[in-house]
Amino acid sequence: MGEMVSVINTVDTSHEDMIHDAQMDYYGTRLATCSSDRSVKIFDVRNGGQILIADLRGHEGPVWQVAWAHPMYGNVLASCSYDRKVIIWKEENGTWEKTHEHTGHDSSVNSVCWAPHDYGLILACGSSDGAISLLTYSGLGQWEVKKINSAHTIGCNAVSWAPAVVPGSLIDQPSGQKPNYIKKFASGGCDNLIKLWKEEEDGQWKEEQKLEAHSDWVRDVAWAPSIGLPTSTIASCSQDGRVFIWTCDDASGNAWSPKLLHKFNDVVWHVSWSITANILAVSGGDNKVTLWKESVDGQWVCISDVNKGQGSVSTSVTEGQQNEQ
Amino acid sequence: MEELDGEPTVTLIPGVNSQKKQMCFDWGPGEMLVCETSFNKKEKSDMMPGCPFIHIIRKNEDVYSQILRKLFNESHGIFVGLQRIEEELTGKSRKAQLVRVSKNYRSVIRACLEEMHQLAIAGKDPASDRQFSIQVSSLSAMELIWNLCEILFIEVAPAGPLLLHLLDWVQLHVCEVDSLSADVLGSENPSKHERFWNLPGNTQTLTELELKWQHWHEGCERHLQDGTFASSPHLESLCKIMLGDEAALLEQKELLSNWYHFLVTRLLYSHPTVKPMDLHFYAQSSLDLFLGGESSPEPLDNILMAAFEFDIHQVIKECSIALSNWWFVAHLTDLLDHCKLLQSHNLYFGSNMREFLLLEYASGLFAHHSLWQLGVDYFDYCPELGRVSLELHIERIPLSTEQKALKVLRVCEQRQMTEQVRSICKILAMKAVRNNRLGSALSWSIRAKDAAFATLVSDRFLRDYCERGCFSDLDLIDNLGPAMMLSDRLTFLGKYREFHRLYGEKRFVDAASLLLSLMTSQIAPRTFWMTLLTDALPLLEQKQVIFSAEQTYELMRCLEDLTSGRPVRGEPDAQQLQDDDVETTKVEMLRLALARNLARSIVKEGSLEGS
């Protein structure tokens, strides 16, 4: 399709310093942003508009990431910051307020990620102190904390949950009974590793797998949404300029094999899967975002010459002075 | 993953500038966010002020065009119809029916084209006029290509009729055939056409036709060589044209709008009984001759050439690249698949090309606030990944109104997508609770079969009752039916309301029994017992004795239980009960009323027994 894209809206956040993250909510109606100016802002962006709904103050340092919880829990947003804190914000009666503050880390918290809504309201947080903490909402304003100390030596840069796998016996569960999900997430750290974590029956988190392929700090990991195929897929990117796609045939659940997507000339900071997992967006140190469609020529479907290994098409979205289409 | 098919398109984002910053991005459900950032996380950022803009970008989906919406709507009907009659398509009539479907699609394109054309010439403003004109060309190209595909792949016209179809095709699409060209290139021969073929009931065989034509052709040649037309260069040139002389034809190039016009004309005069498999030779040479090395083929030319070569995959590929939407390739490929023309190639996404294209098209529809409903049907007819794609997309539809939510739920329920139903109902229930619409919240939690939430909402109802002395949403609670069993608290709520109803109907004995049973069966939460006991007061103070002695003993036991000072987490302290003056008074009144009732009931029962 030529992947023609155009800017449909430009939101002036009025942040006074560098923006570090911007996230759309579940429906694409609200936008949350966070910045080195220590604030978290929320905008209503329906119909091409931009209305500031909230300007949340509470962090004492640059805020690195924000993450929206699933709408069934109401309007809930998490933010993490250099100030070592994770703050959970909630909209109550039309106003946004801080509903919880987690101070269990000894250094900057770099990444927050909400678990699949089926598991409840659970937030994973990765920190430069090398630990990962898991906050679970247990009701009545209470949050339980589980901490994985020394998950990655030197520091943890990213956390990403696996999609919820519906156990076979889920059909016709008697109401009120929670099905036994196997909860897993991935983390990437300064030890050049990607680690996969699994919750045991006793509620403790155990390291299930180590994925080794990078030769420098892992900057980001992203577990692809499930699209009904039996394989699991994780994307990782690193200081070493490489982006790997890891796949695992779920039958065994243990054999992960990496495929090099590309070797860039600079640090790769961020990878992100589109909602229906067809497209992987990859950032570069070279002011570009490239979009990759795995295995299939995004412009075309099934010609045999693209089937050599896997074909891909990339489009670049680049910064620049002019708006060309 | 290294293979690239063509250069990636570069889109420049305005305003994201400077050497030091990078682009931060993330996906929304239907769009992408980008902004300037610096990934290197430092506590103190550069002194240079950051750029406060976040750009929301999206693929140029045609979904947003008013006129194309009609195309999407009407073609949806044709698509679904085609899927449904698939089983019935057998034997000889199959081809005819498929051709009819193809013509239906084309008429929809033409209708759209017409409307767009009207808008383009309406002269509103140059920018939108230009936009419409582009769309007109695009639609026009689509019709052209589809028509050719219909002739070659679906109609599968054999030699003979093939040329006639191609003639129609060219005449239909060449808009600028003026009268002169008609004279020179076509109308000289219509009578000859009619004589040779296209008469209904024409029973001549191909060989007979070829012979006749051959005879005529030789006649013309003889005239030319004999110099019959020597005196008139015009007539001579005409004769040459009728003999299919390429040079002569090309001399009239400005009357031929394009190479395929040239091709068909040429074939008409030199190879009227051309076989389908030979078409591509003539096509290629026509293209080359017409362009004459002065220009290169355009995308449209390549598509048509691929069609003449019967390379369906190439046609689809080129169309995917050249056109700005998935609509065309998705519908055409689906139709061709029904014609059993596509070999299945295994893909990661979708088990075959047809499904891949339909998935792309349907996904695009979900970006639109009402067209998503069309998308549902397309997903339905994708056996491999349709369902899971639908699950992913349907959850992201903003539930801006109750009607929309109900529509979405209906879609999910019809397809037994229980997870999605549960999730959507929960979202709606939560929203209702936040807006204090408890009745709505309750019905959503019942629909979601969510016991925990039903309990939560029932508690709210009960709390409200305690505060205001009356129930909201009585209708709902009165008509819970079997749904009442979803959670204990909900059952209690329903039964408690029933108690009130019985009381209202003056069925005091029944009401009394129910009230007591609510406590003794442990269905009532202990926190509510005080309220229940207080509700018992009017029954105790009636002139007639309602509670039996047995029942009165039970009530007394409940009261003592409550006030006996056994602290239970989350419940009002018995101590609190005693300390609170109002509570103390209530308890005293109850004790008194119960004692009095006990006395009366013993007397009453004693008397009855006696007589």
Side-chain angles (χ1 to χ4, degrees), chain A residues 1-2 4 6 8-9 11 13 17 19 23 26 72 74 269 272 287 293 297 300 312 314 316 318-320, chain B residues 3 5 8-9 11 13 16 21 26-27 37 39 45 52 54-56 58 60 317 320 360 395 430 434:
Chain A
M1 291 296 103
M4 297 258 293
S6 53
I8 58 165
N9 194 1
V11 178
T13 63
D17 205 333
I19 299 174
Q23 294 285 333
Y26 198 72
M72 78 164 62
W269 294 97
S272 172
N287 306 322
K293 202 154 190 172
D297 176 346
W300 170 233
S312 74
S314 93
S316 295
T318 322
E319 64 162 33
Chain B
E3 317 268 339
D5 194 340
T9 336
T11 305
I13 304 299
V16 176
K21 308 280 181 6
D26 251 299
W27 293 97
T37 194
F39 282 115
S45 54
I54 298 200
H55 305 276
I56 303 175
R58 193 162 48 196
N60 279 343
K317 174 185 179 183
S320 302
E360 287 289 340
E395 280 194 300
M430 281 266 349
R434 282 199 304 276

Side-chain angles (χ1 to χ4, degrees), chain A residues 221 226 308 311:
Chain A
V221 287
S226 160
K308 292 191 275 218

Side-chain angles (χ1 to χ4, degrees), chain B residues 248-263:
Chain B
L249 279 167
L250 281 172
E251 273 168 29
Q252 311 297 331
K253 192 170 170 182
E254 63 272 13
L255 297 166
L256 294 165
S257 0
N258 46 53
W259 65 273
Y260 38 97
H261 189 178
F262 174 51
L263 164 67

Side-chain angles (χ1 to χ4, degrees), chain B residues 320-369:
Chain B
S320 302
I321 297 171
L323 296 169
S324 66
N325 64 61
W326 293 103
W327 179 89
F328 182 82
V329 283
H331 289 86
L332 180 62
T333 307
D334 172 63
L335 181 55
L336 294 176
D337 191 44
H338 283 280
C339 301
K340 310 272 189 266
L341 290 172
L342 306 176
Q343 300 127 23
S344 132
H345 283 231
N346 251 338
L347 295 174
Y348 187 65
F349 294 102
S351 69
N352 57 41
M353 177 176 22
R354 167 192 171 273
E355 183 159 321
F356 175 86
L357 295 172
L358 288 174
L359 289 173
E360 287 289 340
Y361 174 65
S363 300
L365 289 173
F366 270 82
H368 190 270
H369 66 85

Side-chain angles (χ1 to χ4, degrees), chain A residues 9 32 59 64 75 97 119 121 167 169 171 178 189 195 200-201 215 224 235 240 257 291 304 308:
Chain A
N9 194 1
H59 280 296
W64 302 127
N75 287 329
E97 285 154 4
Y119 301 167
L121 197 55
S169 57
I171 312 159
K178 272 235 136 84
K195 291 194 181 180
E200 301 282 279
E201 276 168 24
S215 54
D240 66 10
S257 40
L291 305 177
S304 49
K308 292 191 275 218

Side-chain angles (χ1 to χ4, degrees), chain B residues 96-306:
Chain B
Q97 283 183 287
L98 290 168
V99 171
R100 202 173 311 134
V101 170
S102 179
K103 289 194 196 296
N104 282 341
Y105 274 126
R106 283 199 297 124
S107 69
V108 169
I109 300 176
R110 267 204 302 277
C112 204
L113 188 51
E114 250 316 296
E115 227 180 297
M116 193 87 64
H117 181 64
Q118 292 306 319
L119 282 173
I121 58 176
K124 273 220 191 107
D125 69 82
S128 69
D129 281 355
R130 198 177 36 241
Q131 200 46 31
F132 283 126
S133 295
I134 295 172
Q135 281 286 11
V136 166
S137 313
S138 179
L139 283 168
S140 178
M142 283 194 249
E143 220 262 293
L144 179 75
I145 299 164
W146 194 303
N147 199 344
L148 183 61
C149 290
E150 182 184 300
I151 296 168
L152 297 176
F153 305 142
I154 307 177
E155 182 86 59
V156 197
L162 175 60
L163 185 61
L164 294 173
H165 285 294
L166 289 176
L167 270 169
D168 285 337
W169 173 65
V170 161
Q171 278 169 3
L172 191 58
H173 293 101
V174 173
C175 321
E176 278 137 23
V177 178
D178 61 33
S179 55
L180 183 58
S181 72
D183 284 339
V184 174
L185 298 165
S187 62
E188 265 303 304
N189 272 344
S191 53
K192 301 219 159 105
H193 288 179
E194 279 146 38
R195 256 200 284 141
F196 278 71
W197 29 50
N198 211 24
L199 289 171
N202 186 345
T203 53
Q204 298 179 74
T205 64
L206 195 63
T207 329
E208 284 169 357
L209 288 170
E210 272 187 345
L211 278 172
K212 280 196 186 151
W213 181 84
Q214 200 59 34
H215 186 73
W216 169 85
H217 189 90
E218 281 162 15
C220 274
E221 251 178 343
R222 245 177 293 124
H223 280 298
L224 188 67
Q225 280 170 4
D226 292 347
T228 318
F229 303 113
S231 51
S232 164
H234 190 77
L235 279 175
E236 196 169 72
S237 151
L238 200 62
C239 188
K240 280 190 185 162
I241 286 170
M242 293 207 292
L243 288 171
D245 183 303
E246 286 142 14
L249 279 167
L250 281 172
E251 273 168 29
Q252 311 297 331
K253 192 170 170 182
E254 63 272 13
L255 297 166
L256 294 165
S257 0
N258 46 53
W259 65 273
Y260 38 97
H261 189 178
F262 174 51
L263 164 67
V264 174
T265 311
R266 197 182 145 202
L267 287 172
L268 175 65
Y269 294 117
S270 57
H271 299 93
T273 54
V274 63
K275 297 197 196 61
M277 67 183 84
D278 295 333
L279 262 181
H280 72 280
F281 291 126
Y282 299 109
Q284 189 62 59
S285 65
S286 300
L287 176 63
D288 295 336
L289 284 169
F290 195 82
L291 293 179
E294 285 162 9
S295 46
S296 23
E298 311 240 301
L300 179 59
D301 301 326
N302 293 329
I303 295 170
L304 296 174
M305 187 60 64

